[in-house]
Amino acid sequence: MGLYNKYILPKVVNWACKQKPTMRQREKVISLATGNVLEIGIGSGLNLPLYNCENVKHLSAIDPSKEMWNKNKIDTKKLPFEFCFTTAFAEDIPEDNNSFDTVVITYTLCTISDTNKALQEMRRVLKPNGKLIFCEHGKAPDKDIQKWQNLINPFWNRLGGGCNLNRDIPLIIEESGFKINNMETMYIPGWKPTSFNYWGTADPH
């Protein structure tokens, strides 16, 4: 899987993540980011044009895949806010405690190996009055769709770079020390086992 993960998977993931339904979902949440912002799993930088330059002072971004980040098409030197990128995993964020006003995750929790540790790290780097902004796909509410998600997931996980179709996103977030204060859900256009979305905000507590 080495050559696949290095050369083919980044192209497949980038193509999937920039489809119109997912980009519309990103637009719903990215504009909520304020102050000193950390984006977890920035990938190829699809969220960069969506940030509100009047509200964002500095954006730090991490991603474990340098191959994905190399697909970025935006000149980050021309962004209307300060920006820095670091190759790193969400389970070990190379930032100080209480550093950020906002942490952003979009279509990221599905691939993180240890979601509890990663979210605890996000809590650590957030200021006490900071907020987590999320937009994720995951476990569908319909039993028939859940059956398909569970059946397909092992194969999907292997080909999708560790992506999981059936994670219970709100449960994962709240069991890791966050309180969801606003959340919406829906099937976005697409194949139903992959298209049930959760998005909103959560506070560390």
Side-chain angles (χ1 to χ4, degrees), residues 21 43 48 125 145 162 178:
L48 288 175
V125 301
I145 304 300
F178 283 91

Side-chain angles (χ1 to χ4, degrees), residues 51-151:
Y51 283 98
N52 186 332
C53 61
E54 295 181 359
N55 295 334
V56 175
K57 179 181 178 182
H58 185 282
L59 174 63
S60 301
I62 67 169
D63 199 283
S65 173
K66 195 64 183 289
E67 289 81 12
M68 279 297 298
W69 175 242
N70 286 340
K71 295 193 172 299
N72 171 49
K73 302 296 185 183
I74 295 173
D75 184 351
T76 57
K77 294 179 181 179
K78 294 182 179 179
L79 289 170
F81 42 76
E82 298 175 4
F83 175 82
C84 66
F85 170 81
T86 305
T87 304
F89 287 88
E91 294 93 335
D92 188 17
I93 299 172
E95 300 287 351
D96 294 332
N97 296 351
N98 307 321
S99 298
F100 296 96
D101 301 292
T102 311
V103 171
V104 173
I105 48 173
T106 58
Y107 303 108
T108 300
L109 287 179
C110 62
T111 58
I112 293 175
S113 298
D114 190 337
T115 54
N116 182 261
K117 185 176 181 181
L119 283 159
Q120 287 179 3
E121 277 286 274
M122 295 178 213
R123 282 180 60 214
R124 178 183 67 79
V125 301
L126 267 174
K127 296 176 181 179
N129 61 344
K131 62 183 175 182
L132 173 71
I133 296 172
F134 63 92
C135 180
E136 301 286 339
H137 73 89
K139 181 180 178 181
D142 303 290
K143 295 297 183 182
D144 289 342
I145 304 300
Q146 286 180 25
K147 289 178 182 178
W148 277 106
Q149 288 179 322
N150 295 334
L151 180 66

